[in-house]
């Protein structure tokens, strides 16, 4: 069984680290290539957009980091419909430039298919490429599920990665549906019921620095 470290609950001072992990995880995906076709601009734009959503998660959810900083689980508490990030369209336009319409189209498709029932949403499972990626994914899922389970709501996640489906299944998720993204990728919608079993860990609040 994968050992489960005590995860660290992120703070605002961890934003650069969180956005870097998200950008590096999504950099080579088909959706990222479609969103920002220019390879030399892709990571910069992805990191800037990720920062908007990471900030939002720190306000309306929580972010869990592996102790060594090599992975992050970004959760949104969707107990009710959430507002958009402050100045979202203006920030998105400034950040994305010529690619803004593609980001707006993607956001519109995701919003259209987003569940309306109360749940905790795993918005990003940010674990860059190997070595040890599979182990780190398992540690993040197991560690953050214990915290989410205390909130008594189902957990929702999405993935386009077929290889991750088995990993999610082992941690108590089941496929609830799917739809296509603007780039043509299939996105699977995954649900984990409140109180579902699976490896468990812990999340500690960071010590004051």
């Amino acid at each position: 069984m994968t050992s489960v470290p005590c995860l660290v609950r992120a703070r605002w001072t961890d934003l650069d680290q969180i956005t870097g992990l998200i950008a590096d995880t999504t950099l080579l995906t088909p959706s990222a290539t479609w969103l920002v076709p220019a390879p030399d601009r892709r990571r910069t734009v992805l990191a800037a957009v990720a920062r908007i959503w990471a900030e939002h998660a720190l306000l309306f959810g929580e972010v869990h980091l592996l102790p060594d900083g090599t992975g992050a689980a970004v959760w949104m508490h969707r107990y009710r419909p959430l507002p958009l990030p402050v100045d979202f369209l203006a920030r998105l336009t400034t950040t994305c430039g010529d690619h803004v319409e593609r980001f707006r189209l993607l956001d519109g498709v995701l919003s259209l298919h987003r569940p309306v029932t109360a749940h905790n949403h795993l918005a990003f499972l940010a674990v860059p490429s190997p070595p040890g990626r599979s182990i780190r994914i398992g540690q993040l899922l197991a560690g953050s599920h214990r915290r989410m389970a205390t909130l008594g709501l189902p957990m929702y996640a999405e993935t386009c990665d077929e290889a991750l489906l088995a990993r999610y299944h082992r941690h108590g998720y089941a496929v609830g549906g799917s739809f296509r993204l603007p780039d043509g990728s299939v996105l699977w919608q995954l649900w984990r019921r409140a109180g579902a079993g699976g490896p468990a860990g812990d999340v500690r609040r960071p010590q004051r620095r």
Side-chain angles (χ1 to χ4, degrees):
M1 180 182 293
T2 300
S3 60
V4 182
C6 183
L7 304 183
V8 177
R9 187 156 173 184
R11 300 190 302 176
W12 288 90
T13 52
D14 299 309
L15 270 172
D16 287 344
Q17 183 178 33
I18 297 164
T19 55
L21 287 167
I22 295 172
D24 289 339
T25 300
T26 58
L27 187 61
L28 299 178
T29 62
S31 289
T33 302
W34 177 80
L35 285 167
V36 188
D40 58 328
R41 292 193 58 202
R42 189 174 302 141
R43 189 185 186 281
T44 299
V45 173
L46 291 175
V49 175
R51 188 178 186 92
I52 296 173
W53 292 111
E55 290 176 0
H56 208 49
L58 291 175
L59 289 172
F60 294 99
E62 51 197 86
V63 181
H64 305 149
L65 291 166
L66 287 172
D68 63 0
T70 59
V74 180
W75 292 87
M76 298 282 192
H77 297 323
R78 296 191 181 276
Y79 309 150
R80 59 188 182 281
L82 296 182
L84 286 173
V86 175
D87 296 328
F88 176 63
L89 293 180
R91 290 185 68 184
L92 197 66
T93 300
T94 300
T95 295
C96 301
D98 296 341
H99 309 300
V100 66
E101 289 306 319
R102 295 192 177 203
F103 278 90
R104 291 187 65 180
L105 178 59
L106 175 62
D107 184 65
V109 171
L110 292 174
S111 297
L112 179 65
H113 291 89
R114 185 165 294 135
V116 295
T117 56
H119 63 279
N120 289 303
H121 177 199
L122 181 55
F124 297 101
L125 185 60
V127 183
S129 57
R133 184 171 188 256
S134 180
I135 292 174
R136 285 180 282 142
I137 287 173
Q139 291 173 335
L140 273 171
L141 288 175
S144 60
H145 283 164
R146 182 173 181 180
R147 159 62 181 160
M148 291 298 112
T150 66
L151 303 178
L153 288 174
M155 298 164 222
Y156 172 75
E158 300 158 327
T159 185
C160 293
D161 188 343
E162 289 189 58
L164 279 180
L165 287 178
R167 171 68 68 178
Y168 277 114
H169 179 73
R170 287 197 294 273
H171 284 266
Y173 288 85
V175 175
S178 65
F179 58 93
R180 286 197 178 273
L181 298 179
D183 68 284
S185 300
V186 175
L187 189 75
W188 286 281
Q189 299 171 292
L190 306 164
W191 285 97
R192 186 179 193 269
R193 72 180 188 278
D202 204 354
V203 178
R204 70 172 186 268
R205 292 186 179 274
Q207 299 297 314
R208 292 291 177 186
R209 297 169 183 166

